[in-house]
Amino acid sequence: MIKIRRHLQKDIPYRVKWLSNPNVNRFVGDEMGQKTNLKKEKEWFANYQKAKNKKFFTICDDSMPIGFMGLSNISKPNKNADLFIAIGEDDYHGKGIGKTAMEWIIDYGFNKLKLRKINLGVIKDNIPAVNLYKSLGFITEGKMKEEVFYKGKFHDFLSMAIFNRN
Ligand SMILES: CC(C)(COP(=O)(O)OP(=O)(O)OC[C@H]1O[C@@H](n2cnc3c(N)ncnc32)[C@H](O)[C@@H]1OP(=O)(O)O)[C@@H](O)C(=O)NCCC(=O)NCCS
């Protein structure tokens, strides 16, 4: 059963594993395909604990962590934030978990944090992610041509958003 809990210090080794997975890191991070290590992720977590504008969660199959997601740049005045998700374990892709987790975090953003808008960025070639976001009601607000370099090629990048109109 899929469970979602706060992102915790004990998740650091999973962050290293997942962010080193080529099926994940080719689509996430500031530089695609960049690997990480325990030192970097410990630093990230220490900064995360101090940050007031980030809320991250771990997605679990019962008690086993399988991925993570979060809201960053949470702005109270603008009532918006940036969303990120990664199912880190390949065996768990394509089973409806991303969709369940996204519905949970959108509900959290709109109803708990009272956000009005949630933004995300995605490489246009990341078809599973783009389809997932569209199916949830995200619209494409902008397209940055040849924005991201990965494996010898520049890829287009989409800026997408979902609004809470209630
Ligand atoms: C993108 C990601 C979060 C999707 O999660 P998932 O659990 O694999 O996706 P789901 O099984 O919940 O699928 C939900 C929807 O996504 C789309 N989708 C998922 N896999 C797909 C695939 N292989 N091809 C096309 N569409 C796909 C479909 O619209 C699907 O809805 P449907 O089953 O009703 O058709 C996940 O694959 C992942 O973490 N990938 C690696 C990291 C990443 O790309 N993160 C996003 C960065 S922007």
Side-chain angles (χ1 to χ4, degrees):
M1 192 188 162
I2 295 307
K3 293 185 179 157
I4 292 161
R5 60 157 171 79
R6 276 191 309 135
H7 201 44
L8 300 171
Q9 192 142 16
K10 67 180 180 184
D11 296 322
I12 292 173
Y14 290 102
R15 294 180 56 84
V16 177
K17 181 184 179 198
W18 298 333
L19 294 171
S20 300
N21 176 353
N23 292 326
V24 173
N25 71 19
R26 70 185 163 134
F27 292 127
V28 303
D30 298 333
E31 288 175 32
M32 302 303 152
Q34 196 184 42
K35 288 200 174 173
T36 190
N37 56 44
L38 204 53
K39 184 170 173 279
K40 281 190 202 170
E41 293 312 316
K42 278 183 179 169
E43 279 168 15
W44 182 91
F45 200 85
N47 288 330
Y48 167 68
Q49 283 180 310
K50 285 182 229 146
K52 292 200 164 51
N53 63 350
K54 284 189 207 289
K55 298 271 183 200
F56 272 65
F57 300 92
T58 304
I59 305 159
C60 301
D61 179 15
D62 287 324
S63 61
M64 193 181 101
I66 57 168
F68 65 128
M69 60 184 173
L71 293 167
S72 303
N73 297 321
I74 299 167
S75 166
K76 280 193 181 165
N78 295 325
K79 293 186 179 292
N80 63 19
D82 298 332
L83 174 54
F84 155 86
I85 182 166
I87 309 294
E89 303 290 336
D90 292 344
D91 292 351
Y92 284 88
H93 286 178
K95 296 191 160 129
I97 297 166
K99 190 158 195 161
T100 302
M102 285 288 291
E103 284 168 347
W104 186 93
I105 200 165
I106 292 166
D107 178 68
Y108 174 86
F110 286 160
N111 296 315
K112 179 101 183 171
L113 300 182
K114 306 288 180 207
L115 300 176
R116 208 181 137 262
K117 181 180 184 186
I118 298 174
N119 298 299
L120 60 81
V122 58
I123 293 181
K124 198 179 149 209
D125 305 340
N126 189 353
I127 304 297
V130 172
N131 285 351
L132 167 61
Y133 303 148
K134 282 185 181 163
S135 78
L136 290 162
F138 280 82
I139 53 160
T140 302
E141 291 197 310
K143 176 167 140 186
M144 282 84 104
K145 282 184 165 250
E146 299 175 23
E147 174 76 6
V148 176
F149 186 79
Y150 177 67
K151 286 211 168 163
K153 199 179 150 213
F154 287 95
H155 300 261
D156 293 351
F157 195 77
L158 304 178
S159 184
M160 302 183 83
I162 190 170
F163 290 85
N164 181 15
R165 299 290 191 195
N166 298 322

